[in-house]
Amino acid sequence: MRWWALLLCCGAAWLTAWKANAQELSPNIDGKLNVTQERELEEVLMHLTRLYMDGCSVNIFYDSDQSLALVSQYVQQISQSENITVTLTIFKITEAILMDRNTWPEAQCDINVFLLHDGELLFDHASVNHFLASLHDSHPHALWNFNAKNILVALTSKVSEFNAGKLFAFRKSLNFLQVEFTEKDVLFNTNYPYQNIDKQLLASYRLHKMNSTINLFPQKFKTFNGSTIKVSTFEHPPSVLYIYDADHNVIKRDGVDMILIAALESALNFTAEYIEVNKGELWGHEMPNGTWDGLMGMLIYEKADVGACNVFIEQDRYDFIDFTAPFNFERGCFGTPSPKLLPRWTSPVMPFTSVTWASFAVAYLVGTALLYAVYRASYRKESIEYNSLSFDFLYVLGFMTMRSPYTTPSYPPLQIYLGFLWMFATLITIAYSANLVAYLSIVQKSPPIDTMKQLRESSLRLAGPAFWKTQFVASIDEDARSFENRLEPRYDLENVFKEVEAGEFAIIENKQFLELYVAGRYTYGDTATIRIVKQCLLPYSIGVGLQKFSPLQESFSKVVLSIVEFGLTQRWKTEVISEFRLRYLEEIALKTGKEAAVGDPLSIDHLLGVFMMYILGLILAALIFAGEILVQRMSK
C-alpha cells in the first residue's frame, strides 16, 4: 500500500508541475499586457534593436491607441540611446495604408515591427497574394516587403492564438519572428513554411535575462528535413532527358537540369515531387487575357515551387517569377534544312558564278566585235576571212577553247590585239577546266543559310515556342524583328524537326538543344540533314525558376554557385549528349546510306551536263539548218 501511495503522490506532484509550466508558457489569459509585460516589451524591443535594427530602416505598424502609447515609449527610448541609429517610420494600420505601394519600400536593411492588439486588418492583408491579384495591371505589385525582417508582437491573446505563420506574406518572408507574452516568459516563435511548421518556439526569455547568443532569425532553408518541394518540368534534352520503361512510363529523369535538382535535393535534404507540364505548353507564354500557361503558369499560380527545364533568365519572365543564380549559358539559334544536292546536269556551269558567266559572255561578244572592227579599220588589209562576223565569232571561240587558229594575222594591229585576247582566253579556260573536274566528280549543294538575313529572304516557314516572339520584338536587329509575325507557335518540336528535314520549315530553339538533335538524330554517317545557322541571337543565362518572392532563392543559389565553380554542369552536358546519341544509334544506322568514294570513276550521271550541252547544240544547229532551208525555198 505504501508503494502505491508513494507512486500516486509523485504522479500528482508531476501533474501539478506540468500544469504550472503550461500556464507559464501559454499566451496571456487577460487579453492584454499588464505593467510587467509592458516593461518586458520595452526590453524586448530594445534588445532586438541592438541586435538587428541598428543602421536599418524600421517601420512601426500599430493598430490601436494603446499600442500607440507603446510606440511612443519605444521611440523615446531610441532617441535617448546614443549608440543606436535607426530610421523610424510609424504607420497606423488601416486598409488604405496597407494598400498603398509607398508603405512597402525596399532598402538594404529593412525591419517591419507590427504591434497588434486586434490584427484583423493586417491578417486579412497578409493572407492575399497581391502580386497575383494585380497581374492584369500594367505594373504588378506585391504590397509587402518580403526581404525585410518581419517582427509580429502579439499584445493580446487573440493575436497570439492566431497562427500568423501560415499566412501568405509571412510564409514568403525569409525572416519572420512572432513575439508573445505569458505570465512569466516572453516567447519567440518562427515558422518553417516548406516543412509544414507554422509556429515553432525558438527561445523563451525572462525579464532582464536576454540571451544575445541565440539567433532569432535563423537560416531556415539550410536544410528542409526531408520536406517535399514541387518541381515542374518536361522533357527537353539535354536539359531534361527521360528514360522510359516498356510501357512508356518515366523511370528516370536525366539531363543537366535534372541532375542539378538531384544535387540540390542531396545538399538541402528535400524530396522533389515532379509535376509534368502539358506537352502543348512547355515554358508557356502570356495569353491575350493576361493569364499564363506552361511552366511559367505553374510558378505564377503556385502550382509548383520550382521550375527546371532550360529556363532563360530574361526580363519578360523576371517580371513574374524569380530565378536562382545562373548555372549555364545559351543562345537562341535557327535550324534550317541542310543544303540540297544540285542536279548533276548543272555541273558544267557550276565552276563559275552567274556574275562570272555574264562577264565572260560580255567579254566574248566584245572580243568578237572588236576583231571585226580592227580588221575593217586597218589600212593594210588582213585575210578576207576576218571580214565575216560569223568567222570572227568562231575564231574567238577557238581562243576560248584553247584551239590554235589556222589563220594568223600578218600586221601588228591585229597581232597585238589577238595576242592579248589569246592570253585572256587561256587563263579563263585553265581556271574553268581546273574547277570543272571537281564539280563533275563531287555532288554539289545549294548555298547554305548562314545569316538571319538569308533566312529572312528564304521561303522557309518558321516554327518554335511562342516565347521567341517577345525576343524578336525586343531585338535591335532588323532581320530578327522581321520574324515576329513570321513565327508559327509550335510545341510539337519532334514533328517540327521532321518538317525542317523535309525542307518546309526552319526552327528557332536554343543552340544546345539543336546541336543535340542534329548530332543525335539527324546526322547519318557524316551527313547532317539539318543545319544550324551560324548567326544566332544574343546569349541568355539559364537558371532554376522560382515563384515570385520565393524564400528558396538564397539557399538554392548558394548550392548552384558551388556546382558551377566545380564545372560540373559542363561534364553533365557531355554525359547527357552521349546518352542521347546512344539511344538513337540503331535508328540512325538504318537510315545511313553508303556514300560514294571520291575516287570512283565518272559515270554517265557525272557527265550528264556535258551530254545535255551536246544535245542542246545539235538541236540548235538543226533549227538553224531548217530555218535556212525554209528561207531558201521561200526566196524561190
Side-chain angles (χ1 to χ4, degrees):
M1 287 295 293
R2 292 180 180 179
W3 182 80
W4 284 105
L6 181 62
L7 182 62
L8 288 173
C9 289
C10 291
W14 177 85
L15 182 61
T16 302
W18 181 85
K19 287 183 177 180
N21 187 56
Q23 176 76 11
E24 291 180 4
L25 293 179
S26 62
N28 180 40
I29 302 299
D30 297 336
K32 61 181 181 179
L33 300 185
N34 55 39
V35 175
T36 301
Q37 290 170 333
E38 288 185 1
R39 290 175 54 201
E40 288 177 335
L41 174 60
E42 294 175 11
E43 185 170 335
V44 165
L45 290 177
M46 291 306 298
H47 177 73
L48 294 174
T49 301
R50 293 187 187 95
L51 288 180
Y52 305 108
M53 303 184 193
D54 191 21
C56 294
S57 298
V58 180
N59 303 308
I60 308 293
F61 294 83
Y62 69 96
D63 64 354
S64 69
D65 293 337
Q66 184 177 353
S67 53
L68 177 60
L70 298 173
V71 172
S72 301
Q73 295 173 12
Y74 173 62
V75 172
Q76 184 178 2
Q77 284 186 310
I78 291 291
S79 61
Q80 294 173 353
S81 301
E82 298 180 356
N83 300 325
I84 298 177
T85 303
V86 298
T87 302
L88 283 174
T89 306
I90 301 173
F91 297 99
K92 171 68 181 294
I93 296 178
T94 63
E95 186 174 353
I97 288 293
L98 295 175
M99 295 298 291
D100 188 347
R101 299 186 195 184
N102 296 322
T103 306
W104 311 101
E106 290 192 13
Q108 187 173 2
C109 177
D110 288 325
I111 310 288
N112 290 331
V113 180
F114 303 96
L115 299 173
L116 304 180
H117 273 86
D118 179 73
E120 186 173 345
L121 278 177
L122 179 69
F123 294 156
D124 288 344
H125 181 83
S127 64
V128 177
N129 183 345
H130 295 280
F131 174 80
L132 185 59
S134 66
L135 282 182
H136 297 286
D137 296 350
S138 56
H139 301 286
H141 50 274
L143 295 180
W144 192 264
N145 188 345
F146 296 95
N147 295 319
K149 288 182 172 67
N150 292 294
I151 302 172
L152 190 155
V153 180
L155 302 178
T156 62
S157 58
K158 176 183 177 181
V159 177
S160 296
E161 292 167 358
F162 187 84
N163 197 354
K166 68 181 180 180
L167 300 179
F168 172 82
F170 294 117
R171 283 192 293 108
K172 288 284 189 176
S173 298
L174 192 61
N175 297 296
F176 168 65
L177 180 67
Q178 182 166 335
V179 183
E180 301 174 0
F181 296 88
T182 67
E183 293 295 333
K184 295 183 178 180
D185 292 285
V186 181
L187 308 181
F188 296 91
N189 299 292
T190 191
N191 60 350
Y192 288 84
Y194 290 92
Q195 300 177 39
N196 295 321
I197 300 174
D198 299 325
K199 189 173 183 179
Q200 179 166 307
L201 182 65
L202 291 174
S204 60
Y205 297 148
R206 296 197 174 188
L207 189 61
H208 306 307
K209 293 183 180 180
M210 293 293 185
N211 186 350
S212 59
T213 61
I214 296 178
N215 184 8
L216 297 178
F217 294 98
Q219 185 178 354
K220 299 178 184 178
F221 306 109
K222 188 175 182 180
T223 177
F224 291 85
N225 296 320
S227 301
T228 298
I229 291 182
K230 297 178 180 179
V231 180
S232 62
T233 190
F234 54 90
E235 188 171 23
H236 189 268
S239 299
V240 181
L241 179 64
Y242 288 172
I243 298 176
Y244 301 93
D245 61 14
D247 298 324
H248 206 68
N249 298 315
V250 178
I251 58 175
K252 181 182 178 182
R253 289 177 171 84
D254 206 349
V256 177
D257 289 44
M258 294 296 96
I259 300 174
L260 177 68
I261 293 297
L264 287 167
E265 281 185 280
S266 177
L268 300 175
N269 188 22
F270 68 84
T271 301
E273 177 187 335
Y274 290 100
I275 304 174
E276 291 299 317
V277 175
N278 191 313
K279 290 184 178 180
E281 299 174 359
L282 303 187
W283 294 274
H285 68 289
E286 188 175 9
M287 292 180 282
N289 62 0
T291 60
W292 287 76
D293 60 4
L295 184 146
M296 285 285 295
M298 288 201 170
L299 293 177
I300 292 172
Y301 304 116
E302 300 184 0
K303 296 178 181 178
D305 304 305
V306 175
C309 186
N310 194 60
V311 183
F312 286 179
I313 301 175
E314 55 90 36
Q315 187 59 48
D316 286 336
R317 289 175 172 172
Y318 191 74
D319 291 338
F320 298 94
I321 66 172
D322 283 336
F323 300 90
T324 64
F327 62 89
N328 206 346
F329 296 91
E330 187 54 284
R331 303 182 65 134
C333 291
F334 300 89
T336 62
S338 291
K340 301 301 181 182
L341 298 179
L342 295 176
R344 286 193 180 273
W345 63 264
T346 61
S347 297
V349 300
M350 291 303 297
F352 288 162
T353 64
S354 58
V355 175
T356 305
W357 277 117
S359 302
F360 174 77
V362 170
Y364 178 38
L365 295 175
V366 170
T368 301
L370 284 177
L371 175 58
Y372 180 78
V374 171
Y375 168 78
R376 296 297 300 268
S378 297
Y379 289 103
R380 291 182 288 182
K381 297 300 182 182
E382 296 285 354
S383 172
I384 191 66
E385 293 172 324
Y386 292 113
N387 195 37
S388 170
L389 276 175
S390 60
F391 173 83
D392 292 341
F393 181 85
L394 293 174
Y395 192 82
V396 175
L397 182 61
F399 277 27
M400 298 299 183
T401 56
M402 299 182 70
R403 300 295 98 190
S404 298
Y406 67 90
T407 300
T408 56
S410 304
Y411 301 105
L414 209 55
Q415 288 175 342
I416 294 173
Y417 170 69
L418 290 179
F420 279 98
L421 183 60
W422 203 345
M423 292 174 57
F424 166 77
T426 301
L427 294 175
I428 288 292
T429 305
I430 291 174
Y432 175 80
S433 301
N435 263 9
L436 182 61
V437 175
Y439 280 96
L440 287 174
S441 57
I442 300 174
V443 179
Q444 302 305 312
K445 298 181 179 180
S446 59
I449 296 176
D450 285 329
T451 65
M452 286 190 286
K453 182 179 180 181
Q454 291 174 325
L455 179 59
R456 176 185 179 182
E457 294 171 350
S458 74
S459 60
L460 294 172
R461 297 161 65 185
L462 181 62
F467 159 79
W468 295 106
K469 275 186 177 286
T470 60
Q471 308 308 297
F472 294 146
V473 173
S475 177
I476 61 174
D477 186 276
E478 181 181 353
D479 295 315
R481 288 199 306 272
S482 70
F483 296 129
E484 176 198 354
N485 297 323
R486 188 170 174 178
L487 179 67
E488 301 178 24
R490 292 277 297 273
Y491 297 96
D492 55 331
L493 300 183
E494 291 276 352
N495 293 328
V496 173
F497 271 111
K498 295 176 182 177
E499 293 169 339
V500 173
E501 186 180 35
E504 300 173 6
F505 274 85
I507 184 174
I508 172 69
E509 251 296 350
N510 72 75
K511 190 173 184 180
Q512 292 182 12
F513 178 74
L514 292 177
E515 288 176 340
L516 186 66
Y517 263 81
V518 171
R521 298 199 64 181
Y522 295 95
T523 298
Y524 311 111
D526 296 328
T527 303
T529 56
I530 295 178
R531 186 174 183 276
I532 301 175
V533 177
K534 292 181 179 180
Q535 186 181 11
C536 297
L537 302 178
L538 293 175
Y540 297 84
S541 297
I542 297 175
V544 175
L546 304 169
Q547 294 177 8
K548 197 66 179 176
F549 315 113
S550 173
L552 302 177
Q553 187 178 41
E554 182 178 345
S555 56
F556 272 46
S557 291
K558 286 181 179 179
V559 178
V560 168
L561 287 174
S562 298
I563 290 172
V564 172
E565 289 172 359
F566 283 103
L568 294 177
T569 53
Q570 293 303 314
R571 176 183 172 184
W572 296 340
K573 176 186 171 184
T574 303
E575 292 174 350
V576 171
I577 290 175
S578 298
E579 169 67 25
F580 187 84
R581 178 74 177 173
L582 288 172
R583 177 185 293 188
Y584 295 100
L585 274 181
E586 183 177 351
E587 175 184 330
I588 293 170
L590 292 174
K591 293 184 179 180
T592 303
K594 181 181 178 182
E595 297 183 1
V598 175
D600 286 349
L602 297 179
S603 64
I604 189 66
D605 187 46
H606 292 87
L607 298 176
L608 182 60
V610 179
F611 280 93
M612 289 185 67
M613 186 181 297
Y614 172 65
I615 294 171
L616 182 62
L618 292 178
I619 293 173
L620 183 60
L623 290 174
I624 294 174
F625 181 68
E628 288 182 348
I629 294 175
L630 182 61
V631 171
Q632 183 70 21
R633 288 182 177 178
M634 290 178 64
S635 63
K636 291 181 179 181

